[in-house]
Amino acid sequence: MPAEIIDGKAFADEVRGQIAGHVARLKAEQGITPGLAVVLVGEDPASEVYVAAKHRQTVEVGMASFEHKLPADTSEAELFALIDRLNADPAVHGILCQFPVPDHLDERRVVARIDPAKDVDGLSVVNAGLLASGEKGLVSCTPLGCLMLLRDRLGDMTGLNAVVIGRSNLFGKPMAQLLLRENCTVTIAHSRTRNLPEVCARADILVAAVGRAEMVKGDWVKPGATVIDVGITRLPHPDKPGKSKLLGDVDFAEAAQVAAAITPVPGGVGPMTIACLLANTLTACCRAHGLPEPEGLTA
Ligand code: NAP
C-alpha cells in the first residue's frame, strides 16, 4: 500500500494558528506582544526572500517584527553593536541573523553574540549544550519541526530505531538529540558511514538531511517506516526550460511504495521551519516573563 503523505504545509498552518491564539491571549491578558528581530547583512537574493517570508508570517500571527537590513560592508563591531541593543531591548524576545553573512564576518562569533535566551535559531553553543544535557533551551527550528511531525504521526516513539543521515550542527546533531529524548535508539550516519543502505534499512524512523538529490532508494527503507526528507536540491526542471525543480534526499516514488508515511519535497519539512521559529519566539517570550510555556510547541 502506498505511504501516507505527511502534509507539512497543512501542519505548519495549524501550528501558526495555535501560535496566533497564544499571542492574542498574551496581548489581551498580559499586555505583552512577542517580538522577533531579524538581521540581514548584505543583499543575497535568496536571503531577502527568506527574510520577507519570516516578516510576513511573524506579522500574521500577531507578533511584532523588527527588520534590520545592514549594508554588505558592515563591520563586526557595527553588527555586534546592533545585536547588543537587541539583546537589551525588552520588546525583542527572539533574534535571528540571516545566514550566510558576507565573508568578512564569522557566523560562529555572530551566533555567540546573541543572548542564548533570545537565540530562536537554537544555534548557539549554549543552546546545543542545553539540548545535549537534556535541559531546557531553544532548539534549532528544522529539527524541532521534524519532531512535531513525528510526534503527531507516531505519538510515543519509545524503543524505535531512528537513523539520521547527516551530522551538521544545524540539523543532524540536534535531530539525533531530540530523538534520543523521545527514547529512540539513535544512529547518526554521515559521509564515512559504511553500508549506509543496510544501516537505513533498520530504521523505523529514517531522517535524511544530506543535500544529495534522491540518494535514498526504496530498498534502503524498512517496510512500514516513517521517512522524513529534509534535503533540498534545486535542479533545472526537466520539462520546463528556465524553471527549476526541488528534489529531496529520498527517491520519493520508490520510498513511498515501502514506507508507512513520508514527507514530500516541497511541502513536507520546509514549511515547518518558519512555524518553529515563531514557536521559539513565543517560548522565549513566555520564559522572559515567567509565564507557562505553550504546550506542544517546545521540545
Ligand atoms: P550539511 O551541513 O552540508 O551536512 C550534510 C551532511 O550530510 C554531513 O553530515 C555529511 O557528512 C552528510 N553527507 C554528505 N554526503 C553524504 C553521503 N554520501 N552519505 C551520507 N551522508 C552524507 O547540510 P545541512 O545544513 O545539515 O543540510 C542538509 C540538507 O537539508 C540540505 O539539503 C539543506 O538544504 C537541507 N535543509 C533544509 C531545511 C529546511 O528548512 N527544509 C533546513 C536545513 C537544512 P560529513 O559530516 O561526513 O561531511
Side-chain angles (χ1 to χ4, degrees):
M1 205 171 61
E4 175 200 331
I5 296 172
I6 300 172
D7 186 343
K9 189 177 172 302
F11 196 87
D13 286 348
E14 211 176 286
V15 169
R16 285 199 308 277
Q18 285 176 37
I19 293 170
H22 284 289
V23 171
R25 276 193 297 280
L26 271 177
K27 283 181 176 173
E29 293 167 14
Q30 310 283 344
I32 297 168
T33 302
L36 172 64
V38 175
V39 180
L40 175 64
V41 187
E43 284 156 11
D44 177 61
S47 293
E48 299 253 11
V49 173
Y50 291 134
V51 167
K54 285 168 187 172
H55 170 74
R56 182 173 47 76
Q57 294 187 31
T58 304
V59 171
E60 272 170 14
V61 297
M63 292 185 184
S65 170
F66 307 99
E67 272 188 318
H68 295 272
K69 295 191 174 173
L70 304 180
D73 62 355
T74 300
S75 68
E76 185 187 81
E78 287 166 328
L79 177 59
F80 282 8
L82 171 62
I83 293 174
D84 291 350
R85 279 206 308 282
L86 297 172
N87 282 339
D89 186 343
V92 173
H93 303 97
I95 304 169
L96 174 152
C97 185
Q98 185 68 44
F99 290 152
V101 284
D103 287 346
H104 66 280
L105 298 167
D106 178 340
E107 289 185 357
R108 285 168 309 173
R109 284 175 56 82
V110 174
V111 169
R113 193 74 180 195
I114 297 171
D115 177 351
K118 297 190 179 189
D119 165 33
V120 281
D121 246 349
L123 294 180
S124 65
V125 170
V126 172
N127 278 314
L130 289 170
L131 178 62
S133 345
E135 289 178 45
K136 269 189 188 176
L138 290 164
V139 176
S140 180
C141 302
T142 307
L144 179 59
C146 294
L147 177 74
M148 286 184 190
L149 293 175
L150 285 166
R151 276 185 180 155
D152 180 63
R153 162 146 183 93
L154 296 171
D156 185 6
M157 288 176 248
T158 299
L160 295 181
N161 281 334
V163 173
V164 180
I165 321 176
R167 56 174 162 179
S168 66
N169 290 334
L170 175 72
F171 185 83
K173 285 179 194 157
M175 187 73 244
Q177 293 289 354
L178 290 172
L179 290 164
L180 199 56
R181 268 197 194 184
E182 298 294 312
N183 299 315
C184 292
T185 303
V186 182
T187 303
I188 307 178
H190 45 77
S191 66
R192 313 293 174 89
T193 297
R194 292 190 191 156
N195 304 326
L196 184 59
E198 278 172 40
V199 171
C200 293
R202 292 198 291 269
D204 302 301
I205 297 170
L206 179 59
V207 184
V210 177
R212 289 169 70 107
E214 299 186 330
M215 180 183 91
V216 176
K217 299 297 173 192
D219 59 1
W220 297 27
V221 176
K222 180 177 173 178
T226 301
V227 179
I228 305 289
D229 191 353
V230 184
I232 302 173
T233 306
R234 193 178 285 276
L235 293 175
H237 199 290
D239 309 319
K240 299 177 189 166
K243 298 266 179 200
S244 60
K245 186 179 180 203
L246 291 187
L247 288 175
D249 286 344
V250 179
D251 187 322
F252 184 85
E254 287 188 17
Q257 296 305 315
V258 189
I262 184 167
T263 57
V265 176
V269 171
M272 291 299 291
T273 299
I274 298 183
C276 287
L277 175 68
L278 302 176
N280 276 346
T281 304
L282 177 63
T283 300
C285 174
C286 291
R287 286 180 186 161
H289 289 277
L291 296 167
E293 290 172 20
E295 261 179 50
L297 297 176
T298 56

